[in-house]
């Protein structure tokens, strides 16, 4: 279906609205800059971005457990949840903090990026210790989807952890899902099993979160927000119910947000917007291959330098599959991902 063309009047209205928004933003930036220069803000102090809303941020300061809504300084762009920043507070006559302005961003340890529909990388969160890839018995996980998350995590350089949720729905013998998890554990990936249906179901997850900043990712309906709701009983999160017909989840989280976890020492969680498929269109074939960690010992050992790992003689990956060093399902998943890149 072709896009509907806008009339001249419609284009004029859109341009007028955009210009008005830009004007208001410039006025606000100028006002903040004037206050800074006039000394109306307090001294600089460190803080952590808890949530990001365009030109405003929720910042957690070092002197209080309360968050403060802050504006960005005019020349500061690209902040995300988890960033460590320098900010200054504004006070009312009674000495209470009313708002603030972020004046600088500290150096990042790392940043998690996700491609937008145009293929451009968009930062989601920063300063993360581990990516918790949450999947569940329902909706049924697909190995290729798990592999996509793992490849994306490997590309960031942030350690991935597999979290199986809703284990109360597993059959007594664990079924095919337990066998699948055993293959990932054999590759060296940490696997945590949990559920919100029992009081003790979160113990293993809490132990993994202890002392780390973690970001939760996973397709909709796997229970990311439900897990955080149990871990943070004082927070009010909207939980999306599973559709009785499709057994697929509904999107509930709209922006990445950082939560401090009281049940574990120095633990922080970042809940990211629910997504059903983690885009990899920003990666090339070599990066995808390197994202399969068991491939790494064989990459570069093929007979032909430009080997596509399909039917070429002397392909080190194909030989590794035949010898049992690479599981056939993982290799098929790799080929599926590479083929999907070529289709875009």
């Amino acid at each position: 279906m072709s896009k509907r063309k806008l009339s001249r009047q419609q284009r004029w209205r859109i341009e007028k609205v955009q210009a008005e928004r830009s004007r208001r933003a410039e006025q606000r930036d100028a006002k903040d800059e004037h206050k800074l220069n006039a000394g109306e803000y307090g001294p600089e102090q460190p803080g952590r971005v808890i949530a990001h809303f365009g030109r405003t941020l929720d910042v957690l300061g070092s002197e209080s457990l309360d968050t403060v809504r802050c504006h960005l300084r005019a020349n500061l762009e690209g902040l995300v949840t988890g960033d460590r920043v320098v900010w200054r507070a504004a006070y009312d006559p009674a000495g209470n903090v009313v708002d603030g302005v972020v004046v600088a961003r500290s150096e990042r340890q790392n940043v998690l990026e996700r491609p937008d529909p145009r293929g451009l990388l968009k930062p989601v969160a920063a300063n993360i210790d581990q990516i918790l890839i949450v999947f569940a018995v329902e909706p049924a996980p697909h190995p290729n989807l798990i592999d996509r998350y793992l490849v994306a995590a490997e590309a960031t350089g942030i350690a991935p952890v597999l979290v199986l949720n809703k284990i109360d729905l597993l059959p007594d013998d664990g079924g095919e899902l337990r066998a699948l998890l055993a293959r990932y554990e054999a590759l060296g990936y940490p696997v945590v099993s949990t559920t919100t249906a029992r009081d003790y179901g979160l113990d293993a997850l809490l132990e993994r979160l202890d002392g780390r900043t973690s970001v939760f990712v996973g397709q909709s309906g796997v229970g990311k927000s439900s897990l955080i709701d149990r871990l943070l009983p004082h927070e009010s999160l909207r939980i999306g119910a599973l559709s009785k017909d499709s057994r697929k989840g509904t999107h509930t989280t709209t922006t990445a947000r950082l939560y401090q976890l009281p049940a574990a020492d120095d633990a922080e969680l970042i809940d990211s917007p629910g997504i059903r498929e983690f885009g990899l269109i920003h990666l090339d074939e070599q990066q995808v291959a390197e994202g399969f960690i068991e491939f790494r010992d064989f990459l570069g050992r093929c007979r032909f330098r430009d080997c596509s790992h399909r039917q070429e003689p002397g392909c080190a990956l194909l030989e590794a599959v035949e010898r049992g060093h690479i599981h056939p399902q993982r290799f098929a998943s790799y080929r599926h991902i590479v083929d999907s890149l070529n289709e875009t």
Side-chain angles (χ1 to χ4, degrees), residues 35 40-43 45 63-64 66-69 87-101:
K35 287 183 177 180
E40 295 184 24
Y41 283 99
Q45 58 179 302
E63 301 176 357
S64 172
D66 296 326
T67 60
V68 178
R69 183 59 56 90
W87 69 289
R88 297 172 64 179
Y91 301 87
D92 62 16
N96 301 311
V97 177
V98 292
D99 60 26
V101 58

Side-chain angles (χ1 to χ4, degrees), residues 301-312:
R301 296 187 177 183
C302 297
R303 182 184 303 176
F304 302 107
R305 181 176 298 179
D306 59 348
C307 182
S308 63
H309 314 304
R310 292 183 183 273
Q311 299 177 348
E312 295 91 341

Side-chain angles (χ1 to χ4, degrees), residues 253-316:
T253 311
T254 57
T255 186
R257 187 170 186 87
L258 184 147
Y259 301 91
Q260 293 190 322
L261 184 62
D265 293 334
D266 196 25
E268 298 173 324
L269 307 178
I270 295 179
D271 189 27
S272 67
I275 53 176
R276 297 195 176 184
E277 184 172 339
F278 205 96
L280 299 174
I281 57 177
H282 62 296
L283 302 181
D284 57 32
E285 293 188 18
Q286 181 67 22
Q287 290 173 308
V288 172
E290 291 173 352
F292 286 78
I293 56 177
E294 69 271 39
F295 289 13
R296 294 174 182 173
D297 289 340
F298 307 100
L299 294 175
R301 296 187 177 183
C302 297
R303 182 184 303 176
F304 302 107
R305 181 176 298 179
D306 59 348
C307 182
S308 63
H309 314 304
R310 292 183 183 273
Q311 299 177 348
E312 295 91 341
C315 174

Side-chain angles (χ1 to χ4, degrees), residues 77-90:
E77 297 286 347
L79 294 183
V80 295
T81 300
D83 267 325
R84 295 182 176 89
V85 297
V86 178
W87 69 289
R88 297 172 64 179

